[in-house]
Amino acid sequence: MKIHEYQAKELLAAAGAAIPQHIVVRSGAEAAAAFDVLSNGGGVVVKAQVYAGGRGAGQLLDYPDKLGGVKFCPTRELTQAVAEAMLRHRLRTRQTGPEGVPIRTLIVQADAQPDREYYLAMVLDRAAGLPLLMACAEGGMEIEEIAARHPEKILKTYVAPETGLLPFQARRLAYELGFTPAQVPQVENILHALARVFLQKDATLAEINPLALTRNGQIVVLDAKIDFDDNALFRHPDIAALRDVQEENPLEIRAAQAHLNYIQLDGTIGCLVNGAGLAMATMDIIKYYGGQPANFLDVGGSVTPEGAIEAFRIILSDAKVRGILVNVFGGIARCDLIAEALVQAGREVGFRVPVVVRLEGTNAEKARQILAEAANELPTLKTAADLAAAAQLVVELSR
Amino acid sequence: MKIHEYQAKELLAAAGAAIPQHIVVRSGAEAAAAFDVLSNGGGVVVKAQVYAGGRGAGQLLDYPDKLGGVKFCPTRELTQAVAEAMLRHRLRTRQTGPEGVPIRTLIVQADAQPDREYYLAMVLDRAAGLPLLMACAEGGMEIEEIAARHPEKILKTYVAPETGLLPFQARRLAYELGFTPAQVPQVENILHALARVFLQKDATLAEINPLALTRNGQIVVLDAKIDFDDNALFRHPDIAALRDVQEENPLEIRAAQAHLNYIQLDGTIGCLVNGAGLAMATMDIIKYYGGQPANFLDVGGSVTPEGAIEAFRIILSDAKVRGILVNVFGGIARCDLIAEALVQAGREVGFRVPVVVRLEGTNAEKARQILAEAANELPTLKTAADLAAAAQLVVELSR
Amino acid sequence: MSILVDATTRVICQGITGKAGTFHTDQCLLYGTQFVGGVTPGRGGTTWRGPQSGKELPVFNTVAEAVRQTGATASMVFVPPAGAADAIMEAADAGITLIVAITEGIPVLDMVRVKRFLTSKPQVRLIGPNCPGIITPGQCKIGIMPGYIHTPCAPGQAGVGVISRSGTLTYEAVFQLTRLGLPQSTCVGIGGDPVPGTTQVELLELFNNDPGTSAILLIGEIGGDAEERAAAYAAQHVRKPLAAFIAGQTAPPGRRMGHAGAIISGSSGGAASKIAALTQAGFEVAATPAEMGLAVQRALSRQR
Amino acid sequence: MSILVDATTRVICQGITGKAGTFHTDQCLLYGTQFVGGVTPGRGGTTWRGPQSGKELPVFNTVAEAVRQTGATASMVFVPPAGAADAIMEAADAGITLIVAITEGIPVLDMVRVKRFLTSKPQVRLIGPNCPGIITPGQCKIGIMPGYIHTPCAPGQAGVGVISRSGTLTYEAVFQLTRLGLPQSTCVGIGGDPVPGTTQVELLELFNNDPGTSAILLIGEIGGDAEERAAAYAAQHVRKPLAAFIAGQTAPPGRRMGHAGAIISGSSGGAASKIAALTQAGFEVAATPAEMGLAVQRALSRQR
């Protein structure tokens, strides 16, 4: 689960990290009022709160000037104008796709005047099976490039979840980042806060980028991103409450409610598969035969009529879809029951595009018979003998 | 550091354990008032709060009837009378010595009506270097006997300090103690509370004896004893605040304030030694040559005039002392400076008994010279050539 | 021959009285697995009965008690996510040496803690979590895979060892092998979670040392660098015919790990790098999921 | 020959700028120990100067930096109790393989955590805490013992290895050995804390394997069962002359551990059981602390 920048920074602050003051606003007037509180004789920074990254280098759509999702505003008037523009125009970044995303929430942030920027992150190292804390004295946008070209500049420390970040680990990282003895305790606090939030709240990623050394010698979290383990939300009601469903894909939310794992893609061939691995493999074979998958959809281990109906509705609500491939390996679940579920779904939903079904496993023969009997009633429903044939057929029918 | 039963139970309760209600009282009138609150149509238990164990089987000194430090009182009147008696008479138990200890604090406790008693304890297993949780379905007084005769009846589980007691460990212990599925969650709570207090508060021993299954099916901590690691008190101001100096030996407190490690014993020969191991060994050699040490006293690695003066004052304040053995191995500290400190101490304190000094190590010759020069001024001060001679001499002079 | 489980393996189910635990224990009993008991705290002393098999098993409150009473050495874990890590540690602590954790949705940091707990118990092997389980066809099935699609080896015959991060994709592969007349020695689903109990490398080693395994099929997915490590291991140590398939060549986006993910793995974890590594290490890599069985056949014939 | 330290050992001091750290580093330098640097967080980049020796050493902020710059392999820890466990773990993590922790008063659960941390670093040996340190006479002194009471072995000569839980009592023993003309190979104070970094058994093994050690003197105390375990090990593995002394035959009462202490050790931890175990294992046990040297002499002559 993702959260907004301001939520991530507030979690880190609660764990002991220093952050610049900010006020969450949802209108130009609120932004102007926040300017009065935070400008302190200088300016403020207005920052769009959307889940997509690359806000600073992004662009408001249908907006005449160059303006992204982050803007320094030296005056009250500009603060209000920028806030209003952001709330009115969609924001396109390298992570949003060309249509951009709407901006519903902003923060107005005290200007921290960064003098130097650092990078901190905590993430699971799958190979080691341990959380890894990473730090780099060169923060900001180009961290991936630094990692590729100068991996030795990325300092790394494993953190055992049962002990947390040990004092000497934080101290060592702080000194090796080049901080002075007077700065080190501030950095240690932030490192411990990062590790604490990651471990105590079951994060999968916690990133501070940049960590800023300000002109007046303070060290603050300028921007932060934290993703959480969906599987652990049951024990973190405080985190689950931060979910902003408006930022998520409505089809994906609807799928999640039906216990379907659905991710919308750009192609034309819808997929309905049981199991994540088989679903990915099904997309692969569609592409192999010249098609483009419109989605990833895993209906889980078995297929119920209700699940199939909702799955078809979700797939078909994507206007790009010109054909559907159903690939189900009936293991413990019997194919004949699955076939009946598919027929029932066809009756309920109405198949406006060709639906190619490949069913294999327990009672597959009986299943094919059920589908054949429904052929008159559901003329777009086709069966295929095997996976390769099914993929080729759906690609052909969707042209 | 020790604490009282009621403090131990309150710590366990704060960590999630169920305890019978109690009220701390310091007069008969308070006890009677507590009876009104807690008797609930039945009686209450009055319990003396002293650091010594074996209260139930103890006896109030100079008291006509059989009465120890724990008494069930069915009436308000008896509650008041028992409380007054306990507060007026010293209590002798197998842990107090014949002179007993005064009782300054009592608790009046709701009667828990135990149906069955269990034993729980957590302690450091030195050999494994890990805390060990022990449990026995046969609690009460005879636990040491059970351990000796039926060690298989003592269930044991190591607890890693970084993870704490794991859920399955508590569950398994609870089932193996024979509790029913309905009781197990109550027992798990108490086990987790015990482990939590031990680990979070740096205990060296935490004992629940007995854990009681009451007639109405509740499981409660009837009595508890917790000792804490003195070395960790710096990080537990809440625990340090529980110290009841009135319960401790005044000489030992005074010694601790002067950074001396002093334990009063029953013999006649005082000891002043640098280092705990050498101090124990010095007591051993006194006994080997027929004497009885009056104390253990470790002045630490070096000897200052101030430390020596206070050490002599403490030793000599014990009226039983008839001679003193000073055994100092001057390592980094120079013997001549130590000799000067001893002479200065003699001048300040006045040696009313023979003081035999054995000094060895750096500048030992010069030290012997200093002591020889002070011989007229301090006639009871003698030197000895080696440890064996010193021990023999002090034993002889103390007869 | 086989790895890890065979007809003599004595198995319990943790969470046996739950819906899934009951159904799949029953299915495993019907397949012939030697199940000897189950564990559900609070239900100790009762008897579980398989709805289809009709077989009865004793239920215990703790794994320790189950091990003492039944001599079980393997456990199938169906405990729900919140208690699954604890159940795995309980099994390891009680002397179970093969733990097959079917449970899906265990928090990843719980699995990190489990793995660290297991470092002090080198004799314990964990398969999963979030996996279909392990099967030695005709002998022992511990998991949720459909048994009938598998083909046992004839006495003295060697079979294909299957290692997979996926569930239904594994069934697809096994189904293809069976259709091609290729029996399987043992099939292991290691699960799709970020921190699996047993890695592909460990299973490559076991299959490599198993005389009953004639070839190995590795079914991977995008993400992480486990397949790259498996390829590196195989190149150095394995001399048996090798085949592979990597799912996710049309990777679903949107599940990014930010900057940090790319930094840590040193590569994208993408299908291309995995396929390149496997090909270079001598694996026959199937171009589509419809050709996994054929890839094994090619690997076997290439050797001759 | 010797164990653990010799003239080539490169040593740093953690807490070198503190009062005790400065004094004892200086004393060690005067004895001839090859100190190469020190660590005090926040003082990195400065130079430490020995008040008596006049020698100068670089100070670093972290042990990792000190190891990189100086090639140190051993560390003497003088960090105050609240930070001592962290300092020990820092040293172990930075590649120091011999850590001598002098600090007294470290919370016992901190040491439990340190010991568990060190299980993943088998190459690291911790001596102490709450100990006088370790000395190979004439070559390397890491600790607070007075150097001059020790006697180095002549080239090719073997000496007495000393293992002790006590400080001044060890000096007493070494002083007696020196007076009797018995040189020492290495003397190790393991410290009096409940959870020592290195046990008597481990040192018995090292001394037993050291050709430069002709006999071993073990100085124990009441409490725990470490001496009983040492006796059991020696009986089975050690064939060199052995001597021992146990302090605390007149045990100070009042430091009881309640019921639990007696239950756990299975014995009283008293002097009598220790002396009996050692005698049975072939140790010459000194009757009084004045006869520790003589006990070694008896053990040596008994062998001839």
Side-chain angles (χ1 to χ4, degrees):
Chain A
M1 192 194 100
K2 294 179 195 300
I3 59 172
H4 286 297
E5 169 201 2
Y6 78 91
Q7 296 167 325
K9 278 158 55 173
E10 288 171 8
L11 280 172
L12 289 168
I19 63 171
Q21 262 194 289
H22 68 235
I23 295 173
V24 179
V25 302
R26 290 189 175 83
S27 73
E30 285 177 15
F35 177 93
D36 298 340
V37 176
L38 299 175
S39 58
N40 195 25
V44 298
V45 182
V46 179
K47 304 177 85 173
Q49 299 297 293
V50 295
Y51 283 180
R55 293 167 302 168
Q59 175 62 42
L60 295 185
L61 295 178
D62 307 320
Y63 188 77
D65 301 326
K66 180 165 166 32
L67 181 59
V70 179
K71 178 73 179 169
F72 173 73
C73 300
T75 67
R76 188 180 204 276
E77 292 65 36
L78 187 61
T79 301
Q80 177 154 358
V82 163
E84 281 167 0
M86 286 188 187
L87 291 167
R88 222 168 17 234
H89 297 269
R90 292 173 76 92
L91 172 66
R92 183 185 62 219
T93 81
R94 60 185 157 79
Q95 286 187 12
T96 61
E99 74 285 4
V101 292
I103 300 170
R104 297 179 188 87
T105 307
L106 308 171
I107 60 169
V108 176
Q109 180 188 288
D111 182 22
Q113 301 193 299
D115 211 36
R116 181 151 184 200
E117 299 192 337
Y118 300 79
Y119 174 83
L120 300 180
M122 196 152 167
V123 67
L124 180 78
D125 181 345
R126 286 167 164 233
L130 272 179
L132 182 67
L133 182 55
M134 298 186 287
C136 180
E138 298 172 30
M141 296 305 198
E142 311 79 9
I143 187 67
E144 274 162 314
E145 209 168 301
I146 291 170
R149 295 200 189 167
H150 302 284
E152 77 288 353
K153 288 191 177 174
I154 311 275
L155 309 176
K156 296 179 179 179
T157 303
Y158 287 112
V159 180
E162 66 276 16
T163 59
L165 183 67
L166 296 168
F168 81 82
Q169 294 180 308
R171 190 166 66 236
R172 176 175 167 178
L173 277 180
Y175 277 111
E176 292 189 348
L177 284 170
F179 287 101
T180 65
Q183 293 162 343
V184 160
Q186 294 183 65
V187 179
E188 287 175 324
N189 277 346
I190 290 171
L191 288 165
H192 284 299
L194 183 65
R196 225 173 271 140
V197 169
F198 185 95
L199 294 174
Q200 291 178 357
K201 302 296 186 186
D202 282 284
T204 54
L205 167 74
E207 214 171 23
I208 295 175
N209 188 22
L211 176 76
L213 170 60
T214 67
R215 274 177 220 162
N216 56 17
Q218 296 305 298
I219 295 163
V220 295
V221 176
L222 257 201
D223 196 357
K225 170 182 168 61
I226 308 181
D227 294 346
F228 297 92
D229 182 353
D230 290 332
N231 289 335
L233 287 178
F234 71 86
R235 60 188 173 204
H236 302 296
D238 56 332
I239 301 298
L242 300 180
R243 166 161 260 151
D244 183 351
V245 288
Q246 290 193 297
E247 292 289 322
E248 298 176 6
N249 183 312
L251 283 183
E252 294 181 10
I253 294 169
R254 187 174 154 189
Q257 280 161 352
H259 304 290
L260 306 170
N261 185 4
Y262 172 83
I263 299 172
Q264 195 168 3
L265 303 173
D266 297 332
T268 58
I269 300 178
C271 306
L272 188 164
V273 190
N274 66 335
L278 192 60
M280 280 201 282
T282 304
M283 289 159 52
D284 293 343
I285 201 166
I286 287 171
K287 200 167 181 195
Y288 184 82
Y289 286 114
Q292 287 292 344
N295 65 275
F296 167 94
L297 197 160
D298 167 18
V299 297
S302 65
V303 185
T304 62
E306 297 70 32
I309 290 165
E310 185 67 2
F312 278 113
R313 285 204 172 117
I314 289 168
I315 294 171
L316 288 166
S317 69
D318 180 351
K320 303 190 301 294
V321 168
R322 292 211 298 263
I324 298 176
L325 173 55
V326 175
N327 183 19
V328 173
F329 197 99
I332 300 292
R334 282 157 43 195
C335 287
D336 52 337
L337 296 180
I338 294 167
E340 281 171 7
L342 293 175
V343 169
Q344 201 179 325
R347 281 177 195 141
E348 293 261 342
V349 180
F351 292 153
R352 64 166 169 84
V353 297
V355 175
V356 179
V357 178
R358 184 267 180 154
L359 271 174
E360 199 50 82
T362 319
N363 292 5
E365 270 316 308
K366 199 168 163 195
R368 278 190 271 275
Q369 202 177 318
I370 290 166
L371 293 174
E373 283 165 12
N376 283 339
E377 193 186 349
L378 299 169
T380 62
L381 190 68
K382 314 282 177 191
T383 57
D386 60 35
L387 179 51
Q392 284 169 288
L393 181 60
V394 76
V395 169
E396 187 181 310
L397 293 174
S398 309
R399 270 194 234 279
Chain B
M1 193 193 100
K2 294 179 194 301
I3 60 173
H4 286 296
E5 170 201 2
Y6 78 92
Q7 296 167 325
K9 277 155 61 173
E10 288 171 9
L11 281 172
L12 290 167
I19 63 172
Q21 261 194 291
H22 68 236
I23 294 174
V24 178
V25 302
R26 290 191 175 82
S27 73
E30 285 177 16
F35 178 92
D36 297 340
V37 177
L38 299 175
S39 59
N40 196 25
V44 297
V45 181
V46 179
K47 302 177 86 173
Q49 299 296 293
V50 294
Y51 283 180
R55 294 167 301 169
Q59 174 63 42
L60 294 186
L61 295 179
D62 307 321
Y63 188 76
D65 300 324
K66 180 163 166 33
L67 180 59
V70 178
K71 178 74 180 169
F72 174 73
C73 300
T75 68
R76 189 180 204 274
E77 291 64 38
L78 187 61
T79 302
Q80 177 154 359
V82 162
E84 282 167 1
M86 286 187 186
L87 290 166
R88 222 170 17 233
H89 296 269
R90 293 174 76 92
L91 173 66
R92 184 185 61 217
T93 81
R94 61 185 155 80
Q95 285 186 14
T96 61
E99 73 286 4
V101 291
I103 300 171
R104 297 180 188 85
T105 308
L106 307 171
I107 60 171
V108 175
Q109 182 189 287
D111 183 22
Q113 300 192 299
D115 212 34
R116 182 155 179 193
E117 300 193 337
Y118 300 80
Y119 174 83
L120 301 179
M122 196 154 168
V123 68
L124 180 79
D125 180 346
R126 287 167 164 231
L130 272 178
L132 182 67
L133 182 55
M134 298 185 287
C136 181
E138 298 171 32
M141 295 307 199
E142 312 76 10
I143 186 69
E144 276 162 310
E145 208 170 300
I146 291 169
R149 294 200 190 166
H150 302 285
E152 79 285 354
K153 289 191 178 175
I154 310 276
L155 309 176
K156 296 179 180 181
T157 303
Y158 286 110
V159 179
E162 66 276 15
T163 59
L165 182 67
L166 295 167
F168 80 82
Q169 294 180 310
R171 191 167 62 239
R172 176 174 166 179
L173 276 180
Y175 277 112
E176 293 190 345
L177 284 170
F179 287 102
T180 66
Q183 293 163 343
V184 160
Q186 295 185 63
V187 179
E188 286 175 324
N189 277 346
I190 290 171
L191 288 166
H192 285 299
L194 183 65
R196 224 173 271 139
V197 169
F198 186 94
L199 293 175
Q200 292 179 356
K201 302 296 187 186
D202 281 284
T204 53
L205 166 74
E207 214 172 22
I208 295 174
N209 188 21
L211 177 76
L213 170 59
T214 67
R215 274 177 220 163
N216 57 16
Q218 297 305 298
I219 295 161
V220 295
V221 176
L222 257 201
D223 194 358
K225 169 183 169 60
I226 308 181
D227 295 344
F228 297 92
D229 183 353
D230 291 332
N231 289 335
L233 287 178
F234 71 88
R235 59 188 176 207
H236 302 297
D238 56 332
I239 301 299
L242 300 180
R243 167 160 257 150
D244 183 351
V245 289
Q246 289 193 300
E247 292 290 321
E248 298 176 5
N249 181 313
L251 284 183
E252 292 180 12
I253 295 170
R254 186 171 154 191
Q257 281 161 352
H259 304 289
L260 305 171
N261 186 2
Y262 172 84
I263 300 171
Q264 197 169 2
L265 302 174
D266 296 333
T268 59
I269 300 178
C271 307
L272 189 163
V273 189
N274 66 335
L278 191 60
M280 280 200 283
T282 303
M283 288 159 52
D284 293 343
I285 201 167
I286 287 170
K287 200 167 182 196
Y288 184 82
Y289 286 115
Q292 287 292 343
N295 66 275
F296 168 93
L297 197 160
D298 167 18
V299 296
S302 64
V303 185
T304 61
E306 296 72 32
I309 289 166
E310 186 68 2
F312 278 113
R313 284 202 174 119
I314 289 168
I315 293 172
L316 287 168
S317 70
D318 179 351
K320 302 191 302 294
V321 168
R322 290 212 300 260
I324 299 176
L325 174 54
V326 176
N327 183 19
V328 174
F329 197 99
I332 300 292
R334 281 158 45 197
C335 287
D336 51 337
L337 296 180
I338 294 167
E340 281 170 7
L342 294 177
V343 170
Q344 200 179 328
R347 281 177 196 142
E348 292 260 344
V349 180
F351 291 154
R352 67 166 167 82
V353 298
V355 176
V356 177
V357 179
R358 185 267 180 154
L359 271 174
E360 199 51 81
T362 319
N363 292 5
E365 270 314 308
K366 200 168 160 191
R368 277 189 271 272
Q369 203 177 320
I370 290 165
L371 294 176
E373 282 165 11
N376 281 341
E377 194 185 346
L378 301 169
T380 62
L381 191 69
K382 313 280 176 191
T383 58
D386 61 32
L387 180 50
Q392 284 169 288
L393 181 58
V394 76
V395 169
E396 188 181 310
L397 293 174
S398 309
R399 269 195 231 282
Chain C
M1 292 279 289
S2 59
I3 65 168
L4 299 171
V5 296
D6 61 27
T8 70
T9 306
R10 296 172 71 81
V11 193
I12 58 167
C13 176
Q14 289 174 261
I16 193 169
T17 58
K19 195 180 152 202
T22 289
F23 178 78
H24 287 291
T25 299
D26 202 27
Q27 292 292 315
C28 291
L29 281 166
L30 290 169
Y31 191 75
T33 309
Q34 201 186 156
F35 264 82
V36 294
V39 173
T40 297
R43 303 285 285 273
T46 64
T47 298
W48 172 95
R49 192 167 185 283
Q52 286 184 59
S53 66
K55 295 212 179 162
E56 297 194 331
L57 295 175
V59 181
F60 303 94
N61 287 318
T62 67
V63 180
E65 182 69 9
V67 168
R68 262 196 302 275
Q69 300 290 337
T70 69
T73 59
S75 176
M76 178 167 78
V77 177
F78 268 101
V79 175
D86 186 57
I88 294 169
M89 293 191 280
E90 181 184 3
D93 190 66
I96 293 288
T97 53
L98 179 71
I99 303 167
V100 183
I102 310 300
T103 310
E104 184 184 343
I106 302 179
V108 65
L109 286 181
D110 281 10
M111 285 312 302
V112 171
R113 292 187 185 95
V114 165
K115 287 277 278 187
R116 292 182 66 78
F117 182 85
L118 294 180
T119 56
S120 65
K121 312 211 174 273
Q123 74 285 8
V124 177
R125 180 171 298 280
L126 169 67
I127 305 285
N130 186 17
C131 80
I134 180 169
I135 182 169
T136 291
Q139 297 193 47
C140 180
K141 159 174 132 86
I142 306 178
I144 61 174
M145 65 289 282
Y148 75 93
I149 59 172
H150 299 80
T151 308
C153 300
Q157 185 188 23
V160 180
V162 179
I163 307 168
S164 175
R165 279 166 74 177
S166 168
T168 44
L169 187 54
T170 315
Y171 313 160
E172 178 76 45
V174 169
F175 190 71
Q176 293 174 16
L177 291 173
T178 285
R179 281 209 168 164
L180 293 169
L182 297 170
Q184 302 94 42
S185 57
T186 302
C187 305
V188 189
I190 63 169
D193 276 8
V195 181
T198 296
T199 65
Q200 292 148 324
V201 168
E202 293 168 87
L203 290 170
L204 278 177
E205 185 180 356
L206 289 175
F207 277 129
N208 195 36
N209 295 334
D210 172 37
T213 297
S214 55
I216 307 168
L217 171 61
L218 179 78
I219 303 171
E221 285 180 12
I222 52 161
D225 63 350
E227 286 78 11
E228 285 85 342
R229 281 178 285 137
Y233 178 84
Q236 212 178 342
H237 299 286
V238 182
R239 294 289 161 268
K240 293 187 177 180
L242 295 163
F245 175 71
I246 299 295
Q249 300 177 43
T250 322
R255 290 284 177 271
R256 304 206 180 163
M257 294 188 71
H259 298 301
I263 294 176
I264 195 178
S265 67
S267 80
S268 65
S273 98
K274 290 179 189 300
I275 290 171
L278 290 166
T279 306
Q280 207 167 1
F283 283 78
E284 278 290 334
V285 180
T288 79
E291 296 167 28
M292 294 185 285
L294 293 172
V296 173
Q297 218 170 31
R298 282 205 305 276
L300 279 165
S301 64
R302 203 171 61 170
Q303 191 192 32
R304 279 166 210 137
Chain D
M1 292 279 288
S2 58
I3 66 166
L4 298 171
V5 296
D6 59 29
T8 69
T9 307
R10 296 171 72 82
V11 192
I12 57 167
C13 176
Q14 288 174 262
I16 192 171
T17 58
K19 195 179 150 202
T22 289
F23 179 77
H24 286 292
T25 300
D26 202 28
Q27 292 292 316
C28 291
L29 281 166
L30 289 170
Y31 191 75
T33 309
Q34 202 184 155
F35 264 83
V36 295
V39 173
T40 299
R43 301 287 285 272
T46 63
T47 298
W48 173 94
R49 192 168 185 281
Q52 285 183 59
S53 67
K55 295 212 177 158
E56 296 195 332
L57 295 175
V59 180
F60 303 94
N61 286 319
T62 66
V63 179
E65 182 70 8
V67 167
R68 263 197 301 275
Q69 299 290 337
T70 68
T73 58
S75 177
M76 177 168 79
V77 177
F78 268 101
V79 174
D86 186 57
I88 294 168
M89 292 191 279
E90 180 184 5
D93 190 66
I96 293 287
T97 52
L98 179 71
I99 302 167
V100 183
I102 310 299
T103 309
E104 183 184 343
I106 302 178
V108 66
L109 286 180
D110 281 10
M111 285 311 303
V112 170
R113 293 185 184 96
V114 165
K115 287 279 278 189
R116 291 182 66 79
F117 182 86
L118 293 181
T119 55
S120 65
K121 310 210 174 273
Q123 75 285 9
V124 176
R125 179 171 297 281
L126 169 65
I127 305 285
N130 187 17
C131 80
I134 180 171
I135 182 169
T136 292
Q139 299 192 45
C140 179
K141 160 174 131 83
I142 306 179
I144 61 174
M145 64 289 282
Y148 75 92
I149 58 171
H150 299 80
T151 307
C153 299
Q157 184 189 22
V160 181
V162 179
I163 306 168
S164 174
R165 279 166 75 177
S166 166
T168 43
L169 187 56
T170 317
Y171 313 159
E172 177 76 44
V174 169
F175 189 72
Q176 292 174 15
L177 292 172
T178 286
R179 279 211 171 162
L180 292 169
L182 296 171
Q184 303 93 42
S185 58
T186 301
C187 305
V188 190
I190 63 169
D193 276 9
V195 181
T198 296
T199 64
Q200 290 148 325
V201 167
E202 291 169 87
L203 290 170
L204 278 177
E205 185 179 358
L206 290 175
F207 277 128
N208 195 36
N209 294 335
D210 173 35
T213 296
S214 55
I216 306 170
L217 171 61
L218 180 77
I219 303 170
E221 284 179 14
I222 51 162
D225 63 350
E227 286 77 11
E228 284 85 343
R229 281 179 285 137
Y233 178 84
Q236 209 176 345
H237 300 286
V238 184
R239 292 292 161 266
K240 292 186 180 182
L242 295 164
F245 174 72
I246 299 295
Q249 300 177 43
T250 321
R255 291 284 177 270
R256 302 206 182 162
M257 294 188 72
H259 298 303
I263 295 175
I264 194 179
S265 66
S267 80
S268 65
S273 99
K274 291 177 189 299
I275 290 171
L278 290 166
T279 304
Q280 204 166 4
F283 284 78
E284 277 290 332
V285 180
T288 79
E291 294 167 30
M292 293 185 286
L294 293 171
V296 174
Q297 217 170 33
R298 281 204 305 274
L300 279 164
S301 63
R302 202 171 62 169
Q303 191 192 34
R304 281 167 211 138

